[in-house]
Amino acid sequence: MASLVPGIVLNSRYKILRLLGQGGMGAVYLAEDINLPGRQVAVKENFDPSAAAQDQFRREALILARLRHQNLPQVTDHFIERASGRQYLIMDYVEGDDLE
């Protein structure tokens, strides 16, 4: 159900490089911040376009952006794509093995 393909640019800023993983509610991609060349970020996409999901997403993004901890990636941006209603959370990309 992942909707983003490599090369697409989100929000005129984040160029998708590849899919990192996905589940029933969303997907996570590796992207490059084209405003800061060479900076890689993780883009979390929420598939649910409902108004309730968008409200929950906004609350989650604001809370996560305020958290500061060495074991948490820093959330740096968030937005909702108007055409699809899908929500995107931009955070630091942390290279390494997944929990599987």
Side-chain angles (χ1 to χ4, degrees):
M1 188 163 188
S3 65
L4 304 177
V5 296
I8 194 169
V9 176
L10 285 175
N11 210 34
S12 301
R13 183 168 181 176
Y14 305 104
K15 181 179 179 182
I16 300 301
L17 301 176
R18 67 181 167 94
L19 177 69
L20 294 173
Q22 72 179 40
M25 298 297 291
V28 179
Y29 304 87
L30 176 63
E32 180 178 10
D33 183 338
I34 59 177
N35 286 354
L36 300 167
R39 180 173 182 258
Q40 292 186 331
V41 296
V43 176
K44 180 182 175 186
E45 176 185 39
N46 183 357
F47 296 151
D48 184 351
S50 71
Q54 290 181 14
D55 288 342
Q56 176 62 33
F57 169 78
R58 282 186 194 96
R59 285 192 300 274
E60 176 185 343
L62 293 173
I63 290 168
L64 292 174
R66 289 188 299 240
L67 294 178
R68 301 283 189 275
H69 190 277
Q70 65 189 18
N71 294 329
L72 294 175
Q74 180 65 50
V75 171
T76 57
D77 195 6
H78 74 285
F79 57 93
I80 298 173
E81 189 176 71
R82 292 179 195 236
S84 68
R86 289 189 177 188
Q87 306 98 46
Y88 297 93
L89 191 65
I90 310 301
M91 63 191 93
D92 293 339
Y93 171 65
V94 179
E95 192 171 356
D97 295 328
D98 63 25
L99 296 177
E100 278 190 279

